[in-house]
Amino acid sequence: QLTMRVLSLGLVLFLVVAVSCTPGRNKNKDKNKNKNKNKKESNGRQQGNSGVQCQVKYFTEHQTEYQTQCSESHQTQCSQSHQTECSQSHKTECSTSYKTECGYEIQRAYAEKCTTQTVQDPVETCTTALQEVCTTHGGFQKCHKSSGGKSCQQSYSSKDVKTCSQVPVESQKQVCQQVPEHQCHQVPQQQCRQVPQQHCHQVPTQSCAQVAVSVPRQVARRVCY
């Protein structure tokens, strides 16, 4: 692009100089001839008088221009979002229930048992005879009783003797009780959580800047020597 601009500028300058140096149309030919003749005579006089020769020379001058130069790059842009992730697991759950269990157990008790037995006991019966003894004293009789001989007689007496004792007695009794029962089983459960996710993509970015460029230009100058 820079080369094309330089070539275009040089072509314009060349055409300007060419037009300025090219003779005019036919109707101005005589007028231009007279002018050229006068210039030649004048130049001749100048050269004859001072010896100075002049000519048009073209010089290349560099001028600084500012051009906009752009470059394209890519910038990474990221955004964050959250995604739900779930996982399946199993949990052990247990429950307790009760059931009735019955059985028989032997119970031992003590009962009083009595027996009656007739016993013959010897019995001795004794009797004492009383005698009246009288005495006379002074014409008066005084009597009193006194014991005489003792006589005993043996006989037998029957009586019932009751004998009691504690006798063990066994019996069966039904006994019921509540028995705990544990039951466990696996229960599926789902656990979910929010997981951050980053999404990135390339975004084209254009960066422009003013850049100083040295541009060569053809400049016509009259040089005398």
Side-chain angles (χ1 to χ4, degrees):
Q1 185 177 359
L2 180 61
T3 306
M4 292 298 295
R5 293 185 61 180
V6 172
L7 292 176
S8 299
L9 183 61
L11 182 59
V12 170
L13 291 175
F14 178 77
L15 291 176
V16 171
V17 173
V19 170
S20 63
C21 295
T22 303
R25 297 180 180 178
N26 292 330
K27 62 180 181 178
N28 296 326
K29 189 181 292 185
D30 294 336
K31 187 176 180 180
N32 291 331
K33 284 182 179 181
N34 293 329
K35 287 183 179 181
N36 292 331
K37 186 176 180 181
N38 293 331
K39 285 182 179 181
K40 288 180 179 181
E41 290 177 355
S42 176
N43 291 333
R45 286 195 300 268
Q46 289 178 359
Q47 292 176 2
N49 294 332
S50 60
V52 177
Q53 295 182 357
C54 297
Q55 63 179 1
V56 176
K57 286 190 175 183
Y58 295 94
F59 298 91
T60 300
E61 290 185 354
H62 290 271
Q63 295 182 357
T64 302
E65 293 183 357
Y66 290 91
Q67 295 181 353
T68 301
Q69 290 187 0
C70 298
S71 62
E72 188 169 341
S73 62
H74 289 79
Q75 185 179 3
T76 302
Q77 289 187 357
C78 298
S79 61
Q80 192 169 9
S81 63
H82 289 79
Q83 184 178 359
T84 303
E85 288 188 358
C86 297
S87 60
Q88 189 98 8
S89 63
H90 289 80
K91 180 183 178 182
T92 302
E93 288 188 355
C94 298
S95 61
T96 302
S97 61
Y98 293 88
K99 68 176 182 178
T100 303
E101 288 186 356
C102 296
Y104 290 91
E105 66 178 11
I106 297 176
Q107 289 186 342
R108 178 172 293 178
Y110 289 90
E112 187 178 27
K113 186 177 181 181
C114 297
T115 59
T116 302
Q117 187 177 4
T118 302
V119 178
Q120 297 289 331
D121 288 335
V123 178
E124 185 179 20
T125 306
C126 296
T127 59
T128 302
L130 292 178
Q131 294 178 357
E132 186 176 7
V133 178
C134 294
T135 62
T136 303
H137 182 69
F140 293 98
Q141 187 179 8
K142 186 177 180 180
C143 297
H144 67 276
K145 289 181 180 182
S146 65
S147 59
K150 182 179 179 182
S151 62
C152 292
Q153 184 180 1
Q154 190 171 4
S155 64
Y156 290 93
S157 173
S158 298
K159 67 176 182 179
D160 293 333
V161 178
K162 186 178 180 181
T163 305
C164 296
S165 63
Q166 296 291 325
V167 179
V169 178
E170 291 183 352
S171 63
Q172 285 188 345
K173 184 180 179 181
Q174 187 180 27
V175 178
C176 297
Q177 60 180 356
Q178 297 290 323
V179 179
E181 243 185 7
H182 297 282
Q183 292 179 347
C184 298
H185 57 280
Q186 296 289 324
V187 178
Q189 63 177 0
Q190 193 178 41
Q191 293 180 342
C192 297
R193 59 175 184 156
Q194 294 290 323
V195 179
Q197 284 192 343
Q198 193 176 36
H199 303 279
C200 299
H201 59 280
Q202 297 290 326
V203 178
T205 303
Q206 191 178 40
S207 302
C208 297
Q210 295 291 324
V211 180
V213 180
S214 179
V215 180
R217 297 185 182 275
Q218 293 290 330
V219 179
R221 290 182 182 178
R222 185 179 179 188
V223 178
C224 297
Y225 52 90

Tab-separated table of all heavy atoms in Angstrom, residues 13 26 36-37 39 58 61:
chain	number	residue	atom	x	y	z
A	13	LEU	N	3.581	14.129	-9.789
A	13	LEU	CA	4.617	15.169	-9.933
A	13	LEU	C	5.194	15.186	-11.344
A	13	LEU	O	5.458	16.248	-11.925
A	13	LEU	CB	5.719	14.925	-8.912
A	13	LEU	CG	5.334	15.172	-7.444
A	13	LEU	CD1	6.492	14.771	-6.538
A	13	LEU	CD2	4.984	16.635	-7.229
A	26	ASN	N	-1.945	25.202	-30.523
A	26	ASN	CA	-1.459	25.859	-31.750
A	26	ASN	C	-1.745	27.330	-31.747
A	26	ASN	O	-0.953	28.132	-32.271
A	26	ASN	CB	-2.120	25.202	-32.975
A	26	ASN	CG	-1.605	23.759	-33.149
A	26	ASN	OD1	-0.457	23.468	-32.781
A	26	ASN	ND2	-2.441	22.899	-33.717
A	36	ASN	N	9.640	32.262	-25.303
A	36	ASN	CA	10.869	31.476	-25.207
A	36	ASN	C	12.044	32.250	-25.784
A	36	ASN	O	13.166	32.175	-25.279
A	36	ASN	CB	10.702	30.148	-25.950
A	36	ASN	CG	9.704	29.238	-25.232
A	36	ASN	OD1	9.577	29.335	-24.027
A	36	ASN	ND2	9.048	28.356	-25.983
A	37	LYS	N	11.743	32.994	-26.831
A	37	LYS	CA	12.802	33.785	-27.445
A	37	LYS	C	13.280	34.850	-26.490
A	37	LYS	O	14.483	35.097	-26.326
A	37	LYS	CB	12.293	34.405	-28.745
A	37	LYS	CG	13.373	35.140	-29.524
A	37	LYS	CD	12.798	35.650	-30.845
A	37	LYS	CE	13.880	36.409	-31.640
A	37	LYS	NZ	13.341	36.935	-32.934
A	39	LYS	N	13.017	34.678	-23.235
A	39	LYS	CA	13.717	34.027	-22.142
A	39	LYS	C	15.135	33.683	-22.549
A	39	LYS	O	16.081	33.809	-21.764
A	39	LYS	CB	12.979	32.768	-21.694
A	39	LYS	CG	11.736	33.058	-20.897
A	39	LYS	CD	11.099	31.769	-20.446
A	39	LYS	CE	9.855	32.060	-19.608
A	39	LYS	NZ	9.225	30.800	-19.144
A	58	TYR	N	15.179	17.597	-9.767
A	58	TYR	CA	14.195	16.934	-8.907
A	58	TYR	C	14.927	16.217	-7.765
A	58	TYR	O	15.897	15.486	-7.985
A	58	TYR	CB	13.368	15.929	-9.714
A	58	TYR	CG	12.520	16.615	-10.768
A	58	TYR	CD1	12.978	16.764	-12.070
A	58	TYR	CD2	11.269	17.104	-10.418
A	58	TYR	CE1	12.212	17.405	-12.997
A	58	TYR	CE2	10.502	17.738	-11.366
A	58	TYR	CZ	10.949	17.887	-12.649
A	58	TYR	OH	10.203	18.509	-13.584
A	61	GLU	N	12.544	13.980	-1.267
A	61	GLU	CA	12.469	14.359	0.131
A	61	GLU	C	11.525	13.390	0.868
A	61	GLU	O	10.505	12.975	0.327
A	61	GLU	CB	11.952	15.788	0.284
A	61	GLU	CG	12.937	16.832	-0.194
A	61	GLU	CD	12.437	18.239	0.089
A	61	GLU	OE1	11.272	18.341	0.543
A	61	GLU	OE2	13.190	19.198	-0.116
